Amino acid sequence: MSAQYTIGLDYGTNSVRALLVDTADGREIATAIWGYEHGHAGVVLSHDPNLARQHPADYLKGAEVTIVQALAEASRSVSGFQPEQVVGIGVDTTGSTPLPVDADGQPLAFRDEFSGNPAALAWLWKDHTSFAEAAEITALGLEIRPQIMAKIGGIYSSEWFYSKILHCLRTAPEVFDAAYSWIELADFVPAALTGTLSPNKFTAGICASGHKAMFNEAWGGYPDKEFLSRLDPKLGALRDHLPKRVRAVDSSVGGLTAEWAKKTGLPAGIPVAVGAFDAHLGAIGAGIKPGTLVKIIGTSTCDITVKRDSEKLADVPGLCGIVDGSVLPGYFGLEAGQSAVGDIFEWFVGYVKPEGGSHEALTAGAAKLQPGESGLLALDWNNGNRTILVDQRLTGLLVGQTLYTTPAEIYRALIEATAYGALTIINRFEEYGVTIDQIVNCGGIAEKSPLTMQIYADVTGRPMKISRSAQTPALGAAIAAAVVAGAHPDFASAQKAMTGLKTDIFEPTPGPHAVYRELYSIYRTLHDAFGTKAWQGNLYDVMKKLIDIRNRVRK
Amino acid sequence: MSAQYTIGLDYGTNSVRALLVDTADGREIATAIWGYEHGHAGVVLSHDPNLARQHPADYLKGAEVTIVQALAEASRSVSGFQPEQVVGIGVDTTGSTPLPVDADGQPLAFRDEFSGNPAALAWLWKDHTSFAEAAEITALGLEIRPQIMAKIGGIYSSEWFYSKILHCLRTAPEVFDAAYSWIELADFVPAALTGTLSPNKFTAGICASGHKAMFNEAWGGYPDKEFLSRLDPKLGALRDHLPKRVRAVDSSVGGLTAEWAKKTGLPAGIPVAVGAFDAHLGAIGAGIKPGTLVKIIGTSTCDITVKRDSEKLADVPGLCGIVDGSVLPGYFGLEAGQSAVGDIFEWFVGYVKPEGGSHEALTAGAAKLQPGESGLLALDWNNGNRTILVDQRLTGLLVGQTLYTTPAEIYRALIEATAYGALTIINRFEEYGVTIDQIVNCGGIAEKSPLTMQIYADVTGRPMKISRSAQTPALGAAIAAAVVAGAHPDFASAQKAMTGLKTDIFEPTPGPHAVYRELYSIYRTLHDAFGTKAWQGNLYDVMKKLIDIRNRVRK
C-alpha cells in the first residue's frame, strides 16, 4: 500500500497553516503558512482596545493558498508524491470566534451592505467588547441555571459565543437582524470545504458548542429557550437556528467539494473531519491522555487535560469548561487557559518597543538574571484572566520598578508572571482531584523559548516536556483527518503512531524553585487582592519582600 | 554707584552651575554649567542599585571651571563688566550629601589609600544603601527621643546624614575610623572657597544640620550623645567632632581665599554665604513667603513653605523636617519632597528606551491623551517615597496595562503619578494647618514640561505658577550672597528686587480635574494599601474602575 497523507489546517490569530502529514508515523512532509490580509496582522482593530475582529474571506483564501503550497512542497520533498495520496483534512481554529451568517450559511461580511461594519466580521476569541453581556449572562445563569454554570466554572466569559452575539444584538442590531444564525470559525471552515454551510447540511463540533455555547446532552443541547429569552427574546429565537447536528472530531462533516478540489489540487470527496479548537486538537497532537496536562502556549494558552467519562468528576471552579467528548471521544475534556502569554511578550516588544529589544535580545538579557534579582513582579493580566478568575476586566500590573529597571528585567518578569499563572491553573486542577502527572508543552512559545520553559519548570517545580511536533494543533487536525479517513481505527492508535515527545526535558532546579516559591506567594497575594472580592488584607509587605529577595539573591 | 553682582553656585546631581546676577534687579548676566567627570553622569554607581556616590574633586573643579566661564561670558555680554564688581558668592547643593573628612577638613577621597573606595566619596542624596540603619534610627528615636522624631515627621530617612554614616561605620569601618568628621556638601564648598575647612574655623548651615542631622537649639544642637551612642558608641564619639558653629544663610562663612581668587579671577576676600540645600535657596529664588508653596521639580522635588516662627505650628507627620531658620531667618522652614520625578521620566526614556521615545516625542504623544483614557495608573515610588510615607523600601508600580498600551500612555501615567504625589503633599500640609494659597514651581521639569505643569494644575485643581528665573536655586544662592555682601539689608528686600513670576500661569480645567479626582482616589487606595500598615481592604475594584473611567473618557 502506498503512503497515505492527511492535511491539518490550523487557523491561528494572525495566520493559517497547512500541515501535510504521513499517517503512518506522523512525519511532517510539508508546511505552508499564510498571513491574513485584513487588519493589523490579520486582526481588525478600532479605537476600542477590546475590539478584535477578522474577515472570513481570509479564512477561505488561507485554505486555498496554504493547501496549494503544501502540496507543491510535498511534491518537491517526497519522490513520487501524488496529491491523490491525501486521504482527509482536519481543521482547528481559534475560538470562540463566531461569525454571523445568512440563511444559506454565508457570512454577512461578504455582503456589500456590511462591508466596513465590524459587527459583521468574525468576532475573534480575544474580542472583549462584550464584558457587560458576559456579566449579565453569568448573573442570570447563576440565578436560574446553576447546573449549567457549574460546568463552565461558574462564570461565562466575554470571549464566548452568547456574550458576543448579545453585544451585537444591542450595539449593531442591523447585523443581528440580518443574521439567520451564528457559527464558529471551527465549524465554518469544514462546512465551507464540503459545501455543507446551509443549515440543513451543517454539522457543528462538540468542542466549540460545548465549551463556548454551553451545549450539553444533559440539558438537551444548547441552553433552553427560556434562559436565552430572559437575556433577550431575540436570543431565545436564535436558538431555533443553532446547529441541529453536533459531533466529536471522530466524525466527518462531508467530502471535499469539486470546486475546492479544483482550487487546491486535492481529490474531490475526501472526508473533512469535524473542526475543533486549536488547543483541543493540539492536545491530541501532543499525545494527551489522563494525567497528562497539555499546554498549548502561543499568544494565549489553552491548558487541556482529559478524564475518562466513566469516572466521577467534580465541577472545577474557574475552568473554561468540562465537556464530554470535546477533546477525545469517551473522555471529559477539561479546558483551562491564560488569556495572554506570547501576546504579553509581544506587547512589550511590539508596543513598548525598548531599544534593541527583539525577543532574542531580551531573552538573552533575561537569561542572565537570577530569579528575584530584578525585584520585579508582574501580573499576567494584560488581556484579562481566563482561569481561574474568568474576569476579562482585569489588567496588567508591574511592581518593583526602581530608577534602574531594565527592559530585560521587565521581560523576564513578564515571562515569570505567565509561569505563575500556569502554576495557578495546575494547582486548581489538583485541588479538585484532577491529578497532573506530566506536562507536555507545545505551541510557539514552547518551541521558541527555552528560557520560558526553564522558568516554567523552576516556578512549578515540575519537568516541562515538549511535544515532538512543532505544529501540534495542525498535527492533531491531521490525526482527526486520519481517523475519519480510516487510516487509523481510533485516536489511541493514531496518537501512538503519529505523536511523540522531544528528548530534551526542562527539569526544575532546586535553588531557583525555592526563590520562586517565595515569589509565587507574593504573586498569589496580588492575584487575590486585585482579582477576588473575598480577599481582605494589606499589601504593606509586598514591595519590601521583593526588595529582601532581591538583596539576598544579589549577594 | 556701579552695578554690583553676585554669583550663585548650584551643585546638582549631575552638574554644577554658576549664575552671575545683578543684585539690583535679579537680571541673570551669565551662566556656566560643567558636568561632573566621575561615574555615570557624575554619579558613581555599583551593582547595588541603592548606591550613589560622588567624587569631591568634581565639586572643586566645578567651582573653578564655571566661575571662570561665567566671568568670561559676563565680560562679553555686559559692556565694561569687571570681575571686581562681584561682591559675594552663595552656594546651594543637593543633600543630604555627607562626605568623610580628616582632622584638617580635607576629604578622605583625596587620599591615595582610599582611591577606589566608594565609602570615602560623598554619599549622594539618593544613595539608599542605609535603609536598615534608617529603620534602626527611627525605631530607637521613636522609643527614646520622640520629641526629636516629631520634628522630622516621625521617620528618619535612609537619605540622611546619620543613616549614611552608620552604614559606613558598619560596612566600611576603615573609612569611618580614618574620618575625623563628616560634613555636608552644602558646607564643604563654602568652607573650601574660604579656607575654613579646619574644624576650628568651620561653619555649618542650619539648613542641612537641621533638616538632615536633627540639629535644633531646643535640645542643645545635634541629638545628644546618649542617643547616638545607643546606635553605636563610635557614632556617639563622632558628635564631639560635629560642627560647633551652625548658622542661617544670612551669615558669611568667610572671605574668598587668595588662592581661589587667583584661580577664578574674582576679588579675594568677598564674602561667601553659609550654604544651603538647592531646594531651600531655590525657594528663596522663587520668592517664598508664608502661604506660598515652592516646588522645585527636577530629578526629585523639594516642596518648601515657611511659617513665621512666632506662630504655633503642629508637627506634621511625614514631612522631611521643620527647622527654624532653615529657609529664611525668622521663619520655620517646612520641607517635603518626592524622591523622584524627573528621574522617573528619565528612567523610562533612558533605561526602558522605547523606540523613538525622546522626552519630546513622548510628551507630544502624552499630550494628545485625555485624563483616564489610557486606563493606566502608576505609583511614583521608583526611588521610594519621601513625603508622606518616608519609606525608601517602596518601589514603582504600574497597573492597567492591556496588550495595546503605548509608551506615550505609560509616560503620561508616570507624569500623573508624580502629580498625585504632589497633591498628597499639599493635602498633608493643609491637614495640619499649613494653608497653601499659591504654588510656585521651578526647576528643570517646571521649566521644560508645560504638559507636566498642566497635569499638575488639573490633578490638584490649583493654578501652577512658574518662577521667572529658570535657575532658582542658583538665584537664591546669589540672593544670599547679596545679603551677606550688604547689597540688600535683608531677604525680603532682596527677594522683592531680584525675584518674580512668569506671566503664563497653568490654570486647572474643570473636566480633567473631575476625572483626576476619581483617579486620585484610586491612587490613594494603592498608596495606602502598599504604603501603610494600617490599611485593610480589598483591591477588587481598582482595575475595573480604571476600565470604567477609560471607557467613559473614550466615548
Side-chain angles (χ1 to χ4, degrees):
Chain A
M1 189 176 102
S2 76
Q4 291 188 316
Y5 303 98
T6 51
I7 287 178
L9 286 177
D10 169 41
Y11 286 83
T13 300
N14 309 115
S15 60
V16 55
R17 158 194 320 258
L19 178 67
L20 196 147
V21 177
D22 188 327
T23 60
D25 55 9
R27 200 161 45 102
E28 298 174 1
I29 305 299
T31 310
I33 297 176
W34 182 77
Y36 304 131
E37 288 176 340
H38 290 80
H40 177 78
V43 182
V44 176
L45 305 172
S46 80
H47 69 283
D48 178 354
N50 285 317
L51 187 142
R53 307 279 159 89
Q54 290 188 321
H55 200 294
D58 285 340
Y59 302 144
L60 299 180
K61 183 166 177 189
E64 179 178 346
V65 170
T66 57
I67 290 173
V68 168
Q69 279 184 17
L71 291 176
E73 190 190 325
S75 298
R76 285 192 299 273
S77 60
V78 177
S79 164
F81 172 85
Q82 294 296 327
E84 288 68 28
Q85 291 173 282
V86 177
V87 297
I89 298 174
V91 176
D92 74 271
T93 72
T94 67
S96 177
T97 303
L99 57 153
V101 295
D102 64 20
D104 298 323
Q106 292 297 320
L108 293 187
F110 291 171
R111 294 194 189 171
D112 286 347
E113 64 191 287
F114 292 121
S115 84
N117 189 331
L121 298 173
W123 294 47
L124 188 61
W125 64 276
K126 66 177 173 179
D127 186 293
H128 290 145
T129 48
S130 319
F131 57 85
E133 288 78 9
E136 189 182 340
I137 295 169
T138 298
L140 182 67
L142 292 174
E143 185 193 335
I144 68 171
R145 296 293 181 270
Q147 72 281 21
I148 292 183
M149 297 305 291
K151 291 289 173 210
I152 58 164
I155 307 180
Y156 196 80
S157 167
S158 65
E159 291 186 359
W160 296 351
F161 194 69
Y162 302 112
S163 300
K164 286 168 169 169
I165 296 171
L166 194 53
H167 188 69
C168 177
L169 191 163
R170 289 180 179 157
T171 59
E174 72 288 2
V175 170
F176 181 89
D177 290 341
Y180 174 83
S181 188
W182 290 67
I183 62 176
E184 283 280 354
L185 169 55
D187 300 328
F188 170 69
V189 174
L193 294 177
T194 55
T196 59
L197 276 168
S198 73
N200 61 326
K201 299 179 184 167
F202 190 77
T203 305
I206 181 61
C207 174
S209 288
H211 280 291
K212 310 303 181 188
M214 302 191 281
F215 182 96
N216 196 316
E217 296 295 355
W219 47 79
Y222 296 100
D224 55 277
K225 203 165 188 173
E226 184 192 340
F227 175 28
L228 296 176
S229 295
R230 280 278 294 273
L231 294 163
D232 194 292
K234 288 184 171 180
L235 195 64
L238 178 69
R239 189 185 189 278
D240 295 335
H241 294 174
L242 292 181
K244 302 289 179 277
R245 194 164 44 239
V246 181
R247 297 285 181 272
V249 288
D250 54 351
S251 292
S252 160
V253 304
L256 191 70
T257 65
E259 187 191 353
W260 273 98
K262 189 174 170 194
K263 275 190 202 175
T264 58
L266 287 173
I270 58 170
V272 179
V274 162
F277 291 146
D278 39 18
H280 294 70
L281 282 167
I284 290 175
I288 197 160
K289 58 187 176 185
T292 295
L293 176 68
V294 173
K295 291 180 64 66
I296 298 102
I297 316 177
T299 54
S300 64
T301 76
C302 273
D303 298 55
I304 310 272
T305 189
V306 294
K307 197 161 173 172
R308 271 179 235 287
D309 60 9
S310 53
E311 292 177 25
K312 206 172 134 74
L313 177 65
D315 294 328
V316 186
L319 249 63
C320 308
I322 302 175
V323 176
D324 196 358
S326 70
V327 178
L328 288 173
Y331 295 83
F332 291 119
L334 292 92
E335 183 193 344
Q338 295 174 261
S339 300
V341 174
D343 265 353
I344 296 181
F345 313 154
E346 188 54 36
W347 160 68
F348 191 61
V349 169
Y351 281 78
V352 179
K353 288 189 186 172
E355 191 180 291
S358 65
H359 288 290
E360 294 71 21
L362 289 167
T363 298
K368 290 184 190 136
L369 299 167
Q370 296 300 310
E373 182 179 346
S374 70
L376 295 177
L377 191 84
L379 290 176
D380 51 325
W381 297 350
N382 290 46
N383 195 30
N385 177 290
R386 193 180 296 156
T387 309
I388 58 176
L389 298 170
V390 201
D391 187 347
Q392 297 308 337
R393 304 187 76 217
L394 297 172
T395 50
L397 182 144
L398 180 70
V399 61
Q401 300 91 297
T402 69
L403 296 174
Y404 308 105
T405 296
T406 65
E409 290 176 326
I410 296 172
Y411 193 74
R412 186 175 177 113
L414 295 176
I415 294 174
E416 290 168 343
T418 68
Y420 304 141
L423 178 55
T424 305
I425 290 173
I426 295 167
N427 290 345
R428 174 54 54 102
F429 275 126
E430 298 212 319
E431 284 155 17
Y432 285 83
V434 182
T435 307
I436 307 296
D437 302 323
Q438 132 172 297
I439 300 173
V440 178
N441 297 276
C442 50
I445 299 293
E447 282 292 321
K448 291 181 207 156
S449 180
L451 176 65
T452 300
M453 286 297 93
Q454 188 59 52
I455 289 173
Y456 279 37
D458 289 339
V459 165
T460 62
R462 296 167 185 253
M464 291 291 143
K465 302 176 182 175
I466 312 287
S467 161
R468 187 178 65 200
S469 171
Q471 306 170 80
T472 329
L475 175 59
I479 290 172
V483 171
V484 297
H488 287 285
D490 55 30
F491 276 94
S493 154
Q495 283 181 294
K496 192 172 175 192
M498 297 173 72
T499 72
L501 295 177
K502 289 190 176 162
T503 48
D504 281 352
I505 293 174
F506 295 87
E507 295 287 349
T509 38
H513 179 56
V515 175
Y516 279 132
R517 286 176 67 96
E518 291 183 80
L519 290 170
Y520 180 71
S521 88
I522 304 173
Y523 170 89
R524 195 57 203 252
T525 298
L526 293 174
H527 174 284
D528 292 353
F530 284 92
T532 73
K533 281 183 186 164
W535 188 88
Q536 278 287 319
N538 182 288
L539 299 166
Y540 181 72
D541 288 335
V542 165
M543 293 169 178
K544 292 167 179 62
K545 279 185 185 168
L546 289 170
I547 292 173
D548 286 343
I549 295 169
R550 179 187 82 192
N551 291 345
R552 185 152 35 84
V553 170
R554 286 191 181 180
K555 260 181 195 158
Chain B
M1 186 178 101
S2 75
Q4 290 189 318
Y5 302 99
T6 53
I7 288 177
L9 287 176
D10 168 41
Y11 287 83
T13 299
N14 308 113
S15 61
V16 55
R17 157 194 319 259
L19 177 68
L20 196 148
V21 176
D22 189 327
T23 60
D25 55 11
R27 198 159 48 99
E28 298 174 2
I29 305 298
T31 309
I33 297 177
W34 182 77
Y36 304 131
E37 288 176 339
H38 291 78
H40 176 80
V43 181
V44 177
L45 305 172
S46 80
H47 69 284
D48 178 355
N50 285 317
L51 188 142
R53 308 280 159 88
Q54 291 187 321
H55 200 294
D58 285 340
Y59 303 144
L60 300 179
K61 183 167 177 187
E64 181 178 346
V65 170
T66 57
I67 291 172
V68 167
Q69 279 186 15
L71 291 176
E73 188 190 327
S75 298
R76 284 193 300 272
S77 59
V78 176
S79 164
F81 172 85
Q82 294 296 327
E84 289 69 28
Q85 291 173 281
V86 177
V87 298
I89 298 174
V91 177
D92 74 271
T93 72
T94 67
S96 175
T97 302
L99 56 154
V101 295
D102 66 18
D104 298 322
Q106 293 297 321
L108 294 188
F110 291 171
R111 294 195 189 172
D112 287 345
E113 65 192 286
F114 292 120
S115 85
N117 188 331
L121 298 172
W123 295 46
L124 187 60
W125 65 275
K126 66 177 172 178
D127 185 292
H128 291 143
T129 48
S130 318
F131 57 85
E133 289 78 7
E136 189 182 339
I137 295 170
T138 297
L140 183 68
L142 292 174
E143 184 192 335
I144 69 172
R145 295 295 181 269
Q147 72 281 21
I148 293 182
M149 297 304 291
K151 292 288 175 210
I152 58 164
I155 307 181
Y156 196 80
S157 168
S158 65
E159 291 186 1
W160 297 352
F161 194 69
Y162 302 112
S163 299
K164 286 168 170 168
I165 296 171
L166 193 54
H167 188 70
C168 177
L169 190 162
R170 290 182 179 156
T171 59
E174 72 286 2
V175 170
F176 181 89
D177 290 341
Y180 174 83
S181 188
W182 290 68
I183 62 176
E184 284 279 354
L185 168 55
D187 300 329
F188 170 70
V189 174
L193 294 176
T194 57
T196 60
L197 275 168
S198 73
N200 61 326
K201 298 179 184 166
F202 189 77
T203 305
I206 180 62
C207 173
S209 289
H211 280 290
K212 309 301 182 189
M214 302 191 281
F215 182 96
N216 195 316
E217 296 295 357
W219 47 78
Y222 295 99
D224 56 278
K225 204 168 188 170
E226 186 193 340
F227 175 28
L228 296 176
S229 296
R230 280 277 294 273
L231 294 163
D232 193 291
K234 287 183 172 182
L235 194 65
L238 177 70
R239 188 186 192 279
D240 294 336
H241 294 175
L242 292 180
K244 303 289 179 281
R245 195 163 45 239
V246 180
R247 297 285 182 272
V249 287
D250 55 351
S251 292
S252 161
V253 303
L256 192 71
T257 65
E259 187 191 353
W260 273 98
K262 190 175 167 195
K263 275 190 202 175
T264 57
L266 287 172
I270 59 170
V272 179
V274 162
F277 291 145
D278 39 18
H280 295 70
L281 282 167
I284 290 175
I288 198 161
K289 59 187 177 185
T292 295
L293 175 68
V294 173
K295 291 180 65 65
I296 298 99
I297 316 177
T299 53
S300 63
T301 76
C302 273
D303 297 55
I304 310 271
T305 189
V306 295
K307 194 159 176 174
R308 271 179 235 287
D309 61 7
S310 54
E311 293 177 23
K312 203 170 137 72
L313 175 65
D315 294 328
V316 186
L319 249 63
C320 308
I322 303 173
V323 176
D324 196 359
S326 70
V327 179
L328 289 172
Y331 295 83
F332 291 118
L334 292 92
E335 183 192 344
Q338 295 172 261
S339 300
V341 174
D343 266 352
I344 296 181
F345 313 154
E346 188 54 36
W347 161 69
F348 191 61
V349 169
Y351 281 77
V352 180
K353 290 190 185 170
E355 191 182 290
S358 65
H359 288 291
E360 294 71 22
L362 289 167
T363 298
K368 290 183 190 139
L369 298 167
Q370 297 300 310
E373 182 179 344
S374 70
L376 296 175
L377 191 85
L379 290 176
D380 51 325
W381 297 351
N382 290 46
N383 194 30
N385 177 290
R386 194 180 294 156
T387 309
I388 58 175
L389 298 171
V390 200
D391 188 346
Q392 297 307 336
R393 303 188 77 217
L394 297 173
T395 49
L397 182 144
L398 181 68
V399 63
Q401 301 91 297
T402 69
L403 295 174
Y404 308 106
T405 297
T406 66
E409 290 176 326
I410 297 172
Y411 192 75
R412 184 172 179 116
L414 296 175
I415 295 175
E416 290 168 343
T418 68
Y420 304 140
L423 177 56
T424 305
I425 291 173
I426 295 168
N427 289 346
R428 176 53 56 102
F429 275 127
E430 298 211 319
E431 284 155 16
Y432 286 82
V434 182
T435 307
I436 306 297
D437 304 321
Q438 133 174 296
I439 300 172
V440 179
N441 298 276
C442 49
I445 299 292
E447 282 292 322
K448 289 179 209 158
S449 180
L451 175 66
T452 301
M453 286 297 94
Q454 187 59 51
I455 289 174
Y456 279 36
D458 289 339
V459 165
T460 62
R462 295 166 184 256
M464 292 290 142
K465 303 175 182 177
I466 312 286
S467 162
R468 186 178 65 201
S469 170
Q471 307 169 82
T472 330
L475 175 61
I479 290 172
V483 171
V484 297
H488 287 284
D490 55 30
F491 277 93
S493 153
Q495 284 182 292
K496 190 173 176 191
M498 297 173 73
T499 74
L501 295 176
K502 289 190 176 163
T503 48
D504 281 350
I505 294 174
F506 296 87
E507 296 288 349
T509 37
H513 179 55
V515 175
Y516 279 132
R517 286 175 69 96
E518 290 183 81
L519 290 170
Y520 180 71
S521 89
I522 303 174
Y523 170 89
R524 194 57 202 252
T525 297
L526 292 174
H527 174 284
D528 292 353
F530 284 92
T532 73
K533 281 184 188 163
W535 188 87
Q536 278 287 320
N538 182 288
L539 299 166
Y540 181 72
D541 288 336
V542 164
M543 293 169 179
K544 293 166 179 62
K545 279 184 184 168
L546 289 171
I547 291 174
D548 286 341
I549 294 169
R550 179 188 82 191
N551 290 346
R552 184 152 36 84
V553 169
R554 286 191 180 182
K555 264 179 191 158

